[in-house]
Amino acid sequence: GLFPHFTVAENVAVVPRLLGWARAKRRARAEELLALVGLPPEQFAGRYPRQLSGGQQQRVGVARALAADPPIILMDEPFGAVDPITRKQLQRELRRIQAEVHKTIVFVTHDIGEAFLLGDRIVLMAQGQVVQNGTPAELLRNPASPFVTEFIGEDRSLRALRHTYLAELAAPCPEGLPGDVPVLPGTLTIPEAGQALARHAGSNRDGFLISDDGGHPVGYLTYQRLAAVLGESIAPAEAMSSNGTAPEPEAAHVVSH
């Protein structure tokens, strides 16, 4: 936790102070990181932990962990003591911060949903032993044991859709495609693709092109193939629900390919 007798800025600067940083450098670093975690330094730098909400205290903790610019950060259930709404906000903030600072974070949690939301890789442990180590998609599609399956939960198929990317489903581009075929980035997940496809609901094509990061077509996905992944035969305009989201979980039984 935070040191109750230190101000917010002093808490953030604890490690730089131990490392012998000059006072001006410590102050500048604390202000920089408070701004990064969404706590304007002009409002929060001089406050004490008792004057902060639980979510604000967690943000200060994240800033303190980043203060000395470590290559790896360990976070042991940092959001376990906050309410569910604040927890979701902090999870989104952590994803944003990680995208900006590009740090490796070892994040310990007992919440499998949190692990899937935040992790690039997940190490699942039981009784001190690693039972599976892989990407979220690997755990969802190929759980290593009944324990892993049970731990992930009954909505494994729906979770898998959220971690299935269009690029993984693409077939080679057919020749002679007209110029009005929809094009979607290969980095979209199935639910994200549904939102994009809603804009092309009137298309009479049997599928759409998939592009790389540079926008160049690299593959083609038919609506029939998409329907197979979702687990039932559906027409293009019905491939996603009317609000642009994936169908209900019972329509998503087939997720591996």
Side-chain angles (χ1 to χ4, degrees), residues 104-161:
T104 296
I105 300 175
V106 179
F107 191 101
V108 181
T109 180
H110 285 83
D111 183 339
I112 191 65
E114 185 170 62
F116 283 128
L117 176 66
L118 298 177
D120 297 310
R121 295 193 67 84
I122 297 173
V123 179
L124 187 58
M125 302 185 68
Q127 299 180 339
Q129 302 294 318
V130 174
V131 295
Q132 190 162 357
N133 176 5
T135 65
E138 289 169 348
L139 267 70
L140 288 164
R141 296 174 194 164
N142 300 295
S145 68
F147 170 81
V148 177
T149 301
E150 182 178 359
F151 195 83
I152 291 174
E154 296 180 354
D155 60 346
R156 181 164 63 92
S157 295
L158 182 58
R159 290 186 192 272
L161 286 179

Side-chain angles (χ1 to χ4, degrees), residues 17 21 31 37-38 43 58 61 63 65 96 123 130 186 195 224 227 235 246:
R17 181 181 180 184
W21 290 21
E31 291 177 354
V37 300
Q43 297 180 30
Q58 294 299 327
R96 177 188 62 79
V123 179
V130 174
Q195 298 174 16
Q224 286 75 16

Side-chain angles (χ1 to χ4, degrees), residues 64-120:
R64 183 172 63 181
L66 293 168
D69 199 26
I72 300 176
I73 298 171
L74 173 62
M75 304 184 75
D76 189 358
E77 299 199 77
F79 308 145
V82 297
D83 63 88
I85 294 177
T86 302
R87 185 184 184 112
K88 289 184 180 298
Q89 293 173 342
L90 291 171
Q91 289 168 347
R92 289 194 295 268
E93 281 294 294
L94 182 61
R95 292 182 65 182
R96 177 188 62 79
I97 291 168
Q98 199 280 335
E100 290 190 32
V101 301
H102 303 290
K103 296 293 183 182
T104 296
I105 300 175
V106 179
F107 191 101
V108 181
T109 180
H110 285 83
D111 183 339
I112 191 65
E114 185 170 62
F116 283 128
L117 176 66
L118 298 177
D120 297 310

